[in-house]
Amino acid sequence: MEDQLTFSTFMLSLSTSVLLSLGELPDPITNEKNINLSLAKQTIGLIEMLLKKTKGNLTEAEDRLVGNMLYDLRMKYIEASKNQ
C-alpha cells in the first residue's frame, strides 16, 4: 500500500517542522532539541499563506485542522520567544 500525500498530511509535516524548530521535538538525526525561532516563524508564515491561498477550497475538516494547528503553533512560538 502506497502512502498518499494529502493536503492534511502536508500541513502536518509543516507543523512538525515548526515543532522541531521550536525545540518541542528532538532532531531525528542528532536526537537533540534545537531552537531556531527564525525558521519556526518562517514556516508558520508559510502555513498562514497556504491557508489564505486555499480559502474556499478546503474541506471543513482540513480548514479546522489548519486553523487549530496555526493557533497551537503560534502559542508555542510566543512561549518559546519569551524563553529566549
Side-chain angles (χ1 to χ4, degrees), residues 28-81:
I29 297 171
T30 64
N31 206 33
E32 294 177 3
K33 292 184 177 183
N34 298 306
I35 297 177
N36 184 336
L37 291 178
S38 177
L39 183 57
K41 184 177 182 179
Q42 181 180 14
T43 308
I44 290 169
L46 177 61
I47 295 169
E48 291 169 339
M49 180 189 68
L50 287 169
L51 183 60
K52 287 178 188 171
K53 292 290 187 179
T54 57
K55 189 156 185 73
N57 292 312
L58 300 178
T59 66
E60 186 179 321
E62 290 169 335
D63 191 52
R64 191 171 43 253
L65 170 75
V66 179
N68 291 337
M69 177 192 311
L70 268 175
Y71 176 81
D72 291 340
L73 294 174
R74 288 174 181 142
M75 294 301 106
K76 288 181 184 299
Y77 176 82
I78 290 168
E79 192 61 36
S81 297

